[in-house]
Amino acid sequence: MDIDTIPNHLAEQRESAPEDLQHYFLDFESFWERKLWHELTDLLVEYFNNPQSGPQRIPLFETFIKSFAEKINKLKLVALGLRAAFEYKDDQQRLSFLSSLADRVNKPSSQDAYVYASVAAASIKLRLRNYADARADLDRAEQILDGFDGVATVVHASFYEVSADYYHARHEFAAYYKNALLYLACIELGELTEQERAARAHDLAIAALVSDAIYNFGELLLHPILDALRPTPHAWLRELLFAFNRGDLAAVALLERHAADNALLKQHLTFLYQKLSLAALTEAAFRRPPHDRAMGFDVVAASTNVREDEIEHLVMKALSLGLLRGTIDQVARVARINWVQPKVLDMSQVEGMRARLKDWDASVNQLGNWIEGVGKDVWAA
């Protein structure tokens, strides 16, 4: 490369940059001439993070940054490349750029950067509906990540975000739910816009409801992401989740009122009725004291709004899913429950537990007084 190529290129880009950003280019040239690669990289990251830098990102990356790419931190190189990539207007161009960037950093010493770049390429493939290649990229990235003792949070965040997007596109609800929550655990919610938070909360709520593998929403109910639904037209979804969690059969009316407006809820409506019945069953068992969990089929039917001839199947379903432990007496038509899966409690459920603890305390005191009364002679001896 000609010795004047870089200075001339920087001068050209400085002229086309917004006036309040032109001072950056003098520092770029100064750091480049003195080979201060760390300082130059950090300054470039700062510049690329400025929204006004968009038009200069691609030319700077292709001519300037590539001239010293081997000398700088590869994770930061990929971060700069990602900023540049999204200046392309066409997804195919963007994919070509990111694939080339991934190949550049695919070395034993920079596998974290390779994962970062290849996951970004997978996100473009998802947008192009190339699901097979996107899945292959994600599987390869996961295998590499599993071999690391530690990796930058931004790499894990990007992997979980794109994995969640893949599972969302494929309607694999349990996998989406898991990866979306892992993604949220890797970032600060403030990094997302209000619209992004609301969209993520909406998708998580729908996934939790319609998944046939998720019956305990505790992690989601405790997550502040759900609060993003409050000021939106989808605030009812938050109420629905809490109603399902406490086995509140009044949720049926809420569900029926909104299901027609949501294709996924409408499609899974019969399943959702069964899921709510299971939640009502576990709540009914939870509310009973541990010594009184033998529930007649008629009692279960009244608690779940399920016909008595379907109760045995309902209880067997709860046992098979691990929501309850116990036995069914088919002759006596009684379900004997000895364990209920733990879950997040709302205030009314906590109050119910408090009342049961008070009853237990009173019964212990009563037993103590009785023992003291009948055992006076023994104690005296």
Side-chain angles (χ1 to χ4, degrees):
M1 183 181 289
D2 188 277
I3 192 170
D4 293 326
T5 300
I6 296 301
N8 290 341
H9 176 70
L10 290 176
E12 179 183 325
Q13 293 303 314
R14 183 176 69 248
E15 290 299 319
S16 61
E19 187 174 347
D20 57 339
L21 297 183
Q22 291 183 358
H23 67 278
Y24 278 101
F25 291 84
L26 300 176
D27 292 331
F28 292 160
E29 186 171 354
S30 173
F31 288 149
W32 176 75
E33 288 176 344
R34 290 184 288 162
K35 296 180 171 55
L36 298 176
W37 308 124
H38 176 73
E39 290 81 355
L40 176 56
T41 305
D42 286 347
L43 191 63
L44 281 163
V45 169
E46 181 183 324
Y47 179 78
F48 273 47
N49 284 340
N50 191 307
Q52 297 182 75
S53 68
Q56 283 73 50
R57 289 174 188 169
I58 293 174
L60 276 175
F61 193 91
E62 292 290 359
T63 302
F64 181 49
I65 294 174
K66 280 187 175 180
S67 70
F68 56 86
E70 300 307 314
K71 299 179 176 65
I72 66 174
N73 179 283
K74 298 302 180 288
L75 207 53
K76 290 183 178 180
L77 173 65
V78 171
L80 292 168
L82 296 185
R83 288 286 188 180
F86 287 94
E87 293 306 312
Y88 287 105
K89 305 305 179 187
D90 179 74
D91 275 340
Q92 288 291 355
Q93 287 181 302
R94 199 173 288 131
L95 178 58
S96 176
F97 177 90
L98 289 172
S99 298
S100 174
L101 179 60
D103 290 340
R104 176 184 281 272
V105 297
N106 188 10
K107 299 173 182 177
S109 61
S110 55
Q111 286 294 282
D112 55 346
Y114 172 68
V115 167
Y116 197 18
S118 61
V119 164
S123 72
I124 304 302
K125 292 174 183 177
L126 283 179
R127 284 161 58 167
L128 294 170
R129 298 180 182 273
N130 188 350
Y131 298 121
D133 285 353
R135 182 68 262 165
D137 287 347
L138 290 170
D139 287 341
R140 189 160 50 247
E142 184 174 26
Q143 187 175 7
I144 294 170
L145 286 172
D146 287 344
F148 282 131
D149 291 329
V151 68
T153 305
V154 68
V155 178
H156 268 133
S158 65
F159 171 76
Y160 291 130
E161 180 182 19
V162 178
S163 293
D165 291 343
Y166 171 83
Y167 290 121
H168 185 265
R170 305 301 288 169
H171 283 190
E172 296 182 34
F173 302 111
Y176 168 78
Y177 181 85
K178 172 186 174 184
N179 281 273
L181 285 175
L182 287 169
Y183 164 63
L184 292 175
C186 292
I187 65 168
E188 296 291 336
L189 282 185
E191 297 173 27
L192 303 178
T193 64
E194 287 184 16
Q195 293 79 7
E196 288 171 333
R197 290 197 294 272
R200 184 68 69 180
H202 172 273
D203 292 343
L204 274 166
I206 295 294
L209 288 167
V210 303
S211 170
D212 61 0
I214 303 171
Y215 290 85
N216 191 331
F217 313 143
E219 192 173 0
L220 178 57
L221 295 178
L222 291 173
H223 203 290
I225 190 71
L226 271 189
D227 292 335
L229 290 174
R230 287 181 185 273
T232 74
H234 301 296
W236 58 272
L237 265 176
R238 185 179 182 278
E239 298 174 30
L240 190 60
L241 279 174
F242 278 96
F244 263 73
N245 183 66
R246 62 178 178 267
D248 186 352
L249 294 174
V252 170
L254 186 62
L255 179 59
E256 290 176 342
R257 193 160 62 247
H258 294 280
D261 300 326
N262 187 289
L264 282 172
L265 292 183
K266 187 176 181 180
Q267 180 184 341
H268 293 83
L269 200 53
T270 302
F271 167 73
L272 286 168
Y273 290 148
Q274 183 190 62
K275 196 169 189 174
L276 183 57
S277 297
L278 287 166
L281 170 60
T282 58
E283 181 65 15
F286 171 75
R287 287 182 178 278
R288 299 173 75 91
H291 62 273
D292 184 26
R293 284 186 175 166
M295 303 169 65
F297 284 10
D298 56 336
V299 174
V300 176
S303 302
T304 60
N305 276 357
V306 173
R307 293 203 314 268
E308 220 173 301
D309 60 342
E310 296 178 351
I311 294 301
E312 185 177 341
H313 178 267
L314 181 70
V315 176
M316 288 175 65
K317 182 74 173 176
L319 294 173
S320 68
L321 290 169
L323 303 178
L324 303 173
R325 291 178 193 162
T327 58
I328 301 174
D329 187 331
Q330 295 172 305
V331 177
R333 298 177 64 76
V334 170
R336 293 185 172 86
I337 310 302
N338 53 45
W339 179 86
V340 179
Q341 185 185 74
K343 62 180 178 178
V344 170
L345 306 180
D346 63 18
M347 289 308 296
S348 64
Q349 291 169 308
V350 171
E351 180 59 34
M353 180 176 283
R354 174 176 170 273
R356 288 199 299 279
L357 285 172
K358 288 177 68 176
D359 290 342
W360 173 82
D361 181 58
S363 65
V364 169
N365 285 334
Q366 187 178 359
L367 178 62
N369 292 334
W370 178 82
I371 292 173
E372 185 179 354
V374 288
K376 287 179 179 177
D377 295 338
V378 176
W379 309 141

